[in-house]
Amino acid sequence: MRSLRLALSAAVLTALATAAEAHTGHGSTTAFTAGFAHPLGGFDHLLAMVAVGLWAGLAGGRALWLWPLGFVAAMVLGGALGMAGMAMPLVEQGIVASVVVIGLAAALAFRPSLAVGFALAALAGLFHGHAHGTEIPVDASGLAYAAGFALATALLHACGIAVTVIATRFTLPVAARAAGGLTAVAGVVLAVRFF
């Protein structure tokens, strides 16, 4: 029953995420809600963040919490850089590449060392965070906005982990790997569309 509730919660969050607005400035919002909505409304962000959870769930052990933590920590750093107006090269390309690379890592159940996985997740987080930080509303509190996008990101990672845990519990880890593969394909489609 608990597994069913987790799966339904993940499905509802994913369905709601596609309807959210990624870009603020439309109607009244608070800094926290604007930050929370940003990762949920951007398809590229949504794919990468769930894929980090899928990949960490498939790797298991300390990667289960360490790789998502690396992503979130680097994302907050990237957000601070973006809020401060510091330029970072190839942000959009890095975001799209993260969708493809992390999706492939999940699809292939790639199990590098903890340090290498952490570094890959953190690099992806840095790009995503910079994009979040540059889009902060002018009148918003940077701290509240960062707290919102960090919480939403952690929840998206948890959705990916939940899918993997549930799939594994039902002896279908291939379902989590297939979700990673679909993420990589979606990343390629995004790359073709944007570049």
Side-chain angles (χ1 to χ4, degrees):
M1 186 64 163
R2 183 174 173 207
S3 297
L4 179 60
R5 279 186 280 173
L6 281 173
L8 289 174
S9 297
V12 168
L13 281 173
T14 302
L16 289 174
T18 59
E21 289 182 350
H23 303 282
T24 56
H26 306 288
S28 68
T29 61
T30 66
F32 179 83
T33 57
F36 189 86
H38 186 85
L40 299 176
F43 194 57
D44 49 354
H45 297 306
L46 180 71
L47 287 170
M49 293 168 189
V50 172
V52 167
L54 290 169
W55 184 37
L58 287 164
R62 292 192 306 166
L64 191 64
W65 61 270
L66 191 60
W67 295 351
L69 176 65
F71 187 100
V72 172
M75 186 187 66
V76 170
L77 174 62
L81 294 174
M83 286 179 212
M86 295 180 73
M88 201 169 113
L90 306 171
V91 171
E92 291 301 319
Q93 293 88 342
I95 288 171
V96 173
S98 74
V99 174
V100 175
V101 170
I102 295 174
L104 276 175
L108 300 172
F110 177 54
R111 289 192 173 129
S113 69
L114 278 175
V116 169
F118 182 89
L120 284 171
L123 181 61
L126 191 65
F127 286 120
H128 287 268
H130 192 273
H132 295 326
T134 59
E135 295 181 359
I136 184 173
V138 179
D139 60 345
S141 156
L143 187 59
Y145 185 82
F149 73 66
L151 178 60
T153 298
L155 290 173
L156 290 169
H157 291 332
C159 288
I161 291 168
V163 166
T164 303
V165 168
I166 292 165
T168 303
R169 181 164 290 172
F170 289 105
T171 63
L172 293 170
V174 70
R177 292 178 69 177
L182 291 173
T183 299
V185 169
V188 171
V189 170
L190 286 172
V192 168
R193 198 176 99 198
F194 288 129
F195 305 110

